Amino acid sequence: MIVFATNNAHKLEELQQMLGDEMEIRGLSQIGCTEDVPETADTLEGNARMKADYVKEHYGLDCFADDTGLEIDALHGAPGVFSARYGGVAHDSDRNIERVLREMEGVPIEQRTARFRTIICLMQGDSCHMFEGRVEGRILTERHGEGGFGYDSIFQPIEGDGRTFGEMAPEEKNAISHRGRAVAQLVNYLLG
Ligand code: IMP
């Protein structure tokens, strides 16, 4: 059994499917953790580590935690660790996108480079392993597509055919996405 330091049921289910019957995953509520787990570091790595450390320290269980950010070069890496609340309200994607588009007004296409990065920190026994998944792309000047969540409708991955993540089917996005790549490394490691 291993704990995934999240309350996101979708993430838990996805991971459990990838791990199959070989390893059971429990979320925070399933281990009785109802308090807010701190994530006040100023890097993705720091936040993933902080969440995993918290579970290890307070519950004594092996665990992993993730943190994801969108890093836009023209904004010097912002929103980065503040991706969830860049527009001022946590998890309000419309406001987050509006702020990004406003701050990037007039930036030419060749300077609109960006990437999503996901960090996963695994604490097993006394050892800590970090996994990173990233996908490079561009920030468009307006939204395209209704699918996905967060910044998907303005992020055009370099590896694709011009569509944004918001225009892709979930399987297509997962095959090249930051999270898909980080999770694949974690699963390989855990099952390897
Ligand atoms: P989290 O660490 O997975 O909670 O991600 C933090 C924030 O990054 C989310 O609230 C979204 O705004 C953004 N984000 C993370 N993953 C994605 C993605 O796959 N597409 C679009 N936005 C994302």
Side-chain angles (χ1 to χ4, degrees):
M1 192 274 283
I2 190 157
V3 178
F4 185 0
T6 184
N7 286 310
N8 184 322
H10 175 75
K11 285 187 186 176
L12 280 169
E13 193 183 319
E14 186 182 78
L15 245 286
Q16 187 66 70
Q17 268 174 17
M18 289 176 80
L19 283 171
D21 294 337
E22 290 194 47
M23 191 172 287
E24 182 201 347
I25 295 195
R26 292 203 191 146
L28 289 173
S29 62
Q30 292 160 293
I31 59 163
C33 176
T34 51
E35 66 273 21
D36 277 343
V37 174
E39 45 179 325
T40 51
D42 56 8
T43 59
L44 300 174
E45 288 79 359
N47 270 341
R49 175 82 199 229
M50 195 178 265
K51 290 188 272 189
D53 271 346
Y54 183 91
V55 171
K56 190 86 196 168
E57 254 175 47
H58 291 78
Y59 296 87
L61 297 167
D62 285 351
C63 67
F64 58 89
D66 71 340
D67 204 34
T68 296
L70 173 65
E71 299 172 344
I72 302 174
D73 295 322
L75 302 182
H76 311 289
V81 80
F82 303 113
S83 294
R85 54 200 144 102
Y86 199 53
V89 180
H91 305 294
D92 186 328
S93 298
D94 279 338
R95 288 196 194 208
N96 289 340
I97 287 177
E98 273 157 29
R99 177 164 177 198
V100 164
L101 292 182
R102 194 170 61 242
E103 290 181 340
M104 292 187 72
E105 259 171 32
V107 176
I109 189 68
E110 66 276 8
Q111 287 169 31
R112 300 181 75 93
T113 48
R115 72 208 50 80
F116 277 113
R117 267 198 325 130
T118 293
I119 299 292
I120 295 177
C121 174
L122 169 70
M123 304 288 294
Q124 256 187 330
D126 289 335
S127 68
C128 168
H129 290 271
M130 292 281 196
F131 305 93
E132 183 193 81
R134 55 166 76 199
V135 57
E136 300 287 336
R138 283 194 199 93
I139 301 300
L140 300 186
T141 52
E142 54 186 37
R143 295 166 171 85
H144 293 266
E146 304 283 315
F149 71 104
Y151 300 90
D152 276 348
S153 64
I154 56 168
F155 185 83
Q156 179 190 59
I158 298 288
E159 288 154 83
D161 55 8
R163 284 175 298 157
T164 63
F165 270 167
E167 294 173 298
M168 292 184 182
E171 315 80 70
E172 277 180 291
K173 177 187 166 189
N174 289 343
I176 58 168
S177 82
H178 47 300
R179 192 178 352 272
R181 286 171 170 160
V183 163
Q185 287 177 49
L186 171 75
V187 169
N188 266 350
Y189 182 86
L190 288 176
L191 298 183

